[in-house]
Amino acid sequence: MDYKRDMIRAEQLCEAIISFANTQGGDLLIGIDEEAGVPVSLVGVECLDTDKEKLRLLEIFRSRIEPRITNIDVEFIEMEESKYIILIRTQRSWLRPHRGWHNSKFYARQSNGKYELDVQQLRQIFLGSSEFNTKYADFLAERAAYHIEKYGFKPFILLHFIPVSAFENPNVVDLTGIFNQIRSTPIGTSNDNRRINFTGVYSESEDKSCKFQLFRNGIIEHATTRIIEEKEISGKRLHDCLKKTFAYALHNYRSLEIMEPVYAMLSFYGVEGLTAVDIDTFFTGHDVVPYESDKMIFPEVLIEDVENVNLPELLRPIMNALWNAYGFSSYSR
């Protein structure tokens, strides 16, 4: 916790919030006098419009910290008319390290206040990020092998939604009453035959070509052989299926109160020779050759805030990457 008697400058506010987010989170209380880190009296700060002041503070944090911190709460505790204690609560960030735009410095926190991170400390934080990538690569290899065994030689699509803390928290999903909370329709179908299984919640289409799995650590997996047929794919159909499935995943995370950033990872397997049926070769102006590798791993998409998402913009990098495979700079419908 940190205490300030009076409202401080925007740069100081950002440094305090950054230091909390880069460490274990914490509370900044404005309007409390302190001595040696110990609160001694409630002073309060004058505020005539708390809604306006809250928006001002959140805009400071949104525009002056990179990458953006999404889990900041601002509350006003009334003492007397027009006088408040302002509580700014910051959770530990899973997108750390953060820095301020005003000086490009990284801060963390210890018992006696904030301090600037040195090169070695920054390296340790970045290594934590690379550990996430390593764990996901291992997870993806395991899940791809599992579905290759199940689907045989059929081309298939894997789609994962992964909360950033998934590999640190193995049991965040409470299975009690979960059927009334989630949407478990697998990608590529309208069938939903959900049931509890050992790893969480599972659903599949009647012919088992489309599968959904919600793992206990919050990872959502979709697998299907339906969208790719006879080594052909329709960009429009893929886009429509992704739009629906992303919307369901976001609903699930909100319902389960998993509000941290989430990565979306899409990959194709068994797709050597894949072509896109939407491309009219008459108008391309160049040869369009079938895809020449057996798998297609798409760029990851980061969903920073599961409550505020622009789905068309979120899906754009995925669809652009698909069209890149056939010689186009961007996807168009």
Side-chain angles (χ1 to χ4, degrees):
M1 302 183 75
D2 194 6
Y3 306 95
K4 302 295 180 186
R5 178 186 176 91
D6 303 304
M7 179 58 70
I8 55 179
R9 293 185 295 109
E11 293 81 5
Q12 293 174 299
L13 281 169
C14 290
E15 290 173 9
I17 296 308
I18 288 167
S19 71
F20 284 131
N22 282 342
T23 316
Q24 296 296 327
D27 293 343
L28 174 63
L29 288 147
I30 302 173
I32 297 181
D33 203 4
E34 57 88 21
E35 292 180 4
V38 178
V40 294
S41 64
L42 302 178
V43 179
V45 292
E46 187 171 337
C47 182
L48 299 178
D49 189 333
T50 56
D51 290 337
K52 184 176 180 180
E53 179 65 4
K54 180 176 180 177
L55 290 174
R56 183 187 76 86
L57 293 171
L58 291 175
E59 176 60 22
I60 287 172
F61 304 140
R62 187 198 68 79
S63 62
R64 302 193 186 196
I65 297 174
E66 59 177 4
R68 187 161 63 95
I69 302 172
T70 58
N71 49 356
I72 302 175
D73 294 322
V74 179
E75 301 292 340
F76 289 78
I77 305 164
E78 189 171 12
M79 293 179 54
E80 55 188 76
E81 188 175 356
S82 299
K83 271 206 165 185
Y84 299 85
I85 303 297
I86 303 176
L87 166 63
I88 305 175
R89 174 162 291 168
T90 309
Q91 305 294 330
R92 178 191 183 193
S93 174
W94 299 103
L95 299 178
R96 63 190 186 278
H98 299 270
R99 65 178 180 177
W101 282 19
H102 64 283
N103 61 7
S104 296
K105 291 182 179 180
F106 299 87
Y107 295 96
R109 196 156 196 94
Q110 54 192 18
S111 58
N112 61 351
K114 74 176 188 295
Y115 63 94
E116 185 179 352
L117 290 165
D118 61 26
V119 173
Q120 182 61 32
Q121 291 164 331
L122 278 171
R123 184 178 292 114
Q124 290 300 317
I125 294 178
F126 282 115
L127 283 175
S129 300
S130 65
E131 184 179 358
F132 174 91
N133 293 331
T134 300
K135 288 182 177 179
Y136 175 68
D138 293 341
F139 174 80
L140 178 60
E142 176 189 332
R143 298 306 297 169
Y146 171 84
H147 288 292
I148 288 171
E149 181 180 350
K150 296 295 182 181
Y151 288 138
F153 294 102
K154 292 181 180 179
F156 66 92
I157 291 175
L158 267 184
L159 174 62
H160 289 126
F161 297 94
I162 305 177
V164 291
S165 67
F167 298 114
E168 298 184 21
N169 300 322
N171 291 294
V172 297
V173 176
D174 182 2
L175 300 181
T176 305
I178 199 168
F179 279 7
N180 297 323
Q181 300 181 52
I182 66 167
R183 296 175 180 172
S184 53
T185 305
I187 188 172
T189 184
S190 59
N191 297 133
D192 185 353
N193 301 304
R194 71 182 79 171
R195 65 178 186 268
I196 301 290
N197 67 358
F198 182 73
T199 53
V201 178
Y202 178 77
S203 179
E204 64 186 9
S205 59
E206 292 180 0
D207 63 359
K208 302 184 185 300
S209 64
C210 306
K211 302 176 182 182
F212 165 96
Q213 177 72 57
L214 168 63
F215 293 89
R216 293 175 187 266
N217 62 0
I219 293 177
I220 294 174
E221 176 181 88
H222 288 268
T224 182
T225 60
R226 287 192 183 179
I227 298 175
I228 300 173
E229 297 177 347
E230 302 296 330
K231 291 294 179 75
E232 291 183 339
I233 188 167
S234 162
K236 180 182 183 305
R237 185 183 180 196
L238 175 65
H239 185 272
D240 291 344
C241 288
L242 289 176
K243 188 176 180 180
K244 176 181 176 182
T245 305
F246 270 66
Y248 282 177
L250 295 170
H251 165 86
N252 289 341
Y253 287 125
R254 291 191 292 265
S255 298
L256 296 171
E257 297 184 355
I258 298 176
M259 306 305 291
E260 64 195 61
V262 174
Y263 282 104
M265 318 278 209
L266 178 70
S267 49
F268 295 175
Y269 292 88
V271 291
E272 184 178 3
L274 182 68
T275 58
V277 297
D278 309 63
I279 297 175
D280 190 336
T281 56
F282 181 80
F283 295 102
T284 59
H286 59 79
D287 292 334
V288 178
V289 299
Y291 188 64
E292 297 178 340
S293 178
D294 193 52
K295 60 184 177 181
M296 190 182 294
I297 309 297
F298 287 78
E300 63 197 32
V301 173
L302 177 63
I303 305 169
E304 292 188 34
D305 183 355
V306 298
E307 289 194 296
N308 298 288
V309 175
N310 183 327
L311 276 178
E313 287 302 311
L314 199 64
L315 295 177
R316 191 181 303 279
I318 294 175
M319 301 309 302
N320 284 347
L322 177 63
W323 248 231
N324 293 163
Y326 300 103
F328 296 90
S329 60
S330 62
Y331 172 74
S332 60
R333 292 182 62 171

